[in-house]
Amino acid sequence: ETGVTQSPTHLIKTRGQQVTLRCSSQSGHNTVSWYQQALGQGPQFIFQYYREEENGRGNFPPRFSGLQFPNYSSELNVNALELDDSALYLCASSLAAGGGGYTFGSGTRLTVV
Amino acid sequence: AQKVTQAQTEISVVEKEDVTLDCVYETRDTTYYLFWYKQPPSGELVFLIRRNSFDEQNEISGRYSWNFQKSTSSFNFTITASQVVDSAVYFCALSEALAGTALIFGKGTTLSVSS
């Protein structure tokens, strides 16, 4: 049983650029959530995808968007990057019906300069 | 609104000391779930335990134990005989469901165990 994998592990972008982060969910999991973790803070919920549709969103602007694919993998897209977007982005997969909890990946460290 | 407070920002102990990490939560839900995660320097959040709001029984797993008290809205975590490998950031989290909904995290407690 494979866990959650995220790519890339590190990324440096310039302010104003766009970025795409990728996540492969754990085998058997059909729901993917994305979290932003700023330095020294706890993870903040960005949004969740289930059956390829957004199914819950935290307090993040529309320039944060995502996709979920038929194989349950997911992408997080951030447009018009700002310096404050520098953070660790964590992906978590789960079963919508519960029972197994959440499994997190190791994250993508995004630095915006 | 749901909220998790971890008042201890950093804790430093010497190996073999016992240490308790505090977590206080707020929620209006009658059914909810509480979690503890460990985050080593590698960044991955490692699941430690979950508890549902109907189960106040305390739990012990090896050197780890958890004290859940609904009366004080607390879910504290104790490490007995701490080891250097326990050094990490520990997060308490709250959710209205076991999975499929957002986890609300506290700001974390950084535990440093020295030899």
Side-chain angles (χ1 to χ4, degrees), chain B residues 59-114:
Chain B
E59 181 166 334
I60 298 174
S61 176
R63 296 186 298 108
Y64 297 167
S65 63
W66 291 269
N67 185 347
F68 176 28
Q69 293 193 351
K70 287 180 72 173
S71 61
T72 55
S73 297
S74 65
F75 185 43
N76 296 336
F77 171 34
T78 297
I79 302 175
T80 302
S82 59
Q83 300 176 0
V84 173
V85 293
D86 295 327
S87 297
V89 183
Y90 291 85
F91 291 98
C92 180
L94 169 68
S95 173
E96 64 182 16
L98 188 57
T101 62
L103 280 167
I104 307 301
F105 285 87
K107 291 188 175 182
T109 297
T110 299
L111 174 64
S112 297
V113 182
S114 57

Side-chain angles (χ1 to χ4, degrees), chain A residues 31 35 37 40-43 45 48 55 88 90 94-96 98-102 104-106, chain B residues 35 37 39 42-45 47 50 91 95 97-108:
Chain A
T31 301
Y35 290 80
Q37 186 180 12
Q41 301 295 315
F45 175 69
Q48 175 180 270
N55 182 34
L88 179 68
L90 294 162
S94 61
L95 272 173
Y102 304 82
F104 282 83
S106 296
Chain B
F35 302 77
Y37 283 88
Q39 188 175 44
S42 61
E44 181 178 357
L45 284 170
F47 168 78
R50 64 173 170 263
F91 291 98
S95 173
L98 188 57
T101 62
L103 280 167
I104 307 301
F105 285 87
K107 291 188 175 182

Side-chain angles (χ1 to χ4, degrees), chain B residues 22-38:
Chain B
D22 298 333
C23 173
V24 174
Y25 63 92
E26 296 176 28
T27 180
R28 294 180 180 178
D29 296 326
T30 54
T31 300
Y32 52 89
Y33 296 84
L34 295 164
F35 302 77
W36 274 96
Y37 283 88
K38 174 182 180 179

Side-chain angles (χ1 to χ4, degrees), chain A residues 8-19 21 36-39 78 81-89 107-113:
Chain A
T9 54
H10 295 83
L11 201 54
I12 299 176
K13 288 286 189 177
T14 302
R15 189 172 49 184
Q17 285 188 315
Q18 178 266 343
V19 69
L21 310 181
Q36 180 195 65
Q37 186 180 12
L39 197 61
V78 186
L81 284 167
E82 301 176 359
L83 297 180
D84 285 347
D85 296 332
S86 296
L88 179 68
Y89 289 84
T108 295
R109 173 73 64 186
L110 172 65
T111 302
V112 182
V113 298

